[in-house]
Amino acid sequence: QARLVESGGGLVQPGGSLRLSCVASGFTFGIYAMSWHRQAPGKERELVAFISSDGGYINYAESVKGRFTISRDNRKNTVYLQMNSLKSEDTAVYYCNAKRDLEYWGQGTQVTVSS
């Protein structure tokens, strides 16, 4: 029953913006830390952004600091990733993750940054 469903990916030009959403269901969203990860072909999955269950602690990968913003709305069971000033290097499948003692993953959404 636990599900994470990402949306908002697509094709965008360098310098553009996208907002990813991840809607959770089937578990107590408000007590889980949430994060966004990404994986490009031939590369390992990497942590992009992390937010604690109450939103009090946030951490970003060095490569996205100043450009990406993670946020969450516990009433809506949703975590967001606002991505600005996108670069070709940001092209990847982006995955939503929920973690406490158990861990859940979404199916991923493709982000392609290209001119």
Side-chain angles (χ1 to χ4, degrees):
Q1 187 161 335
R3 279 223 302 174
L4 296 172
V5 181
E6 301 98 330
S7 62
L11 175 65
V12 64
Q13 293 185 326
S17 297
L18 284 174
R19 190 195 195 209
L20 306 183
S21 298
C22 172
V23 179
S25 60
F27 65 97
T28 307
F29 180 81
I31 63 172
Y32 277 71
M34 300 297 298
S35 60
W36 288 95
H37 301 243
R38 67 186 181 188
Q39 188 167 24
K43 302 285 183 65
E44 290 193 52
R45 189 172 298 189
E46 65 171 338
L47 176 68
V48 174
F50 173 94
I51 185 167
S52 62
S53 59
D54 65 352
Y57 176 79
I58 292 173
N59 187 241
Y60 298 98
E62 203 62 37
S63 60
V64 308
K65 281 183 180 175
R67 300 189 298 121
F68 290 11
T69 302
I70 189 171
S71 61
R72 66 189 295 160
D73 186 336
N74 285 353
R75 277 193 62 206
K76 295 181 177 179
N77 288 173
T78 302
V79 63
Y80 306 94
L81 185 67
Q82 178 67 47
M83 306 185 294
N84 299 326
S85 302
L86 283 161
K87 306 173 181 179
S88 59
E89 309 95 88
D90 296 317
T91 296
V93 177
Y94 284 70
Y95 297 92
C96 177
N97 172 268
K99 189 171 184 178
R100 203 165 87 110
D101 50 339
L102 299 177
E103 186 172 30
Y104 307 109
W105 290 92
Q107 82 291 341
T109 186
Q110 177 72 48
V111 171
T112 302
V113 185
S114 178
S115 58

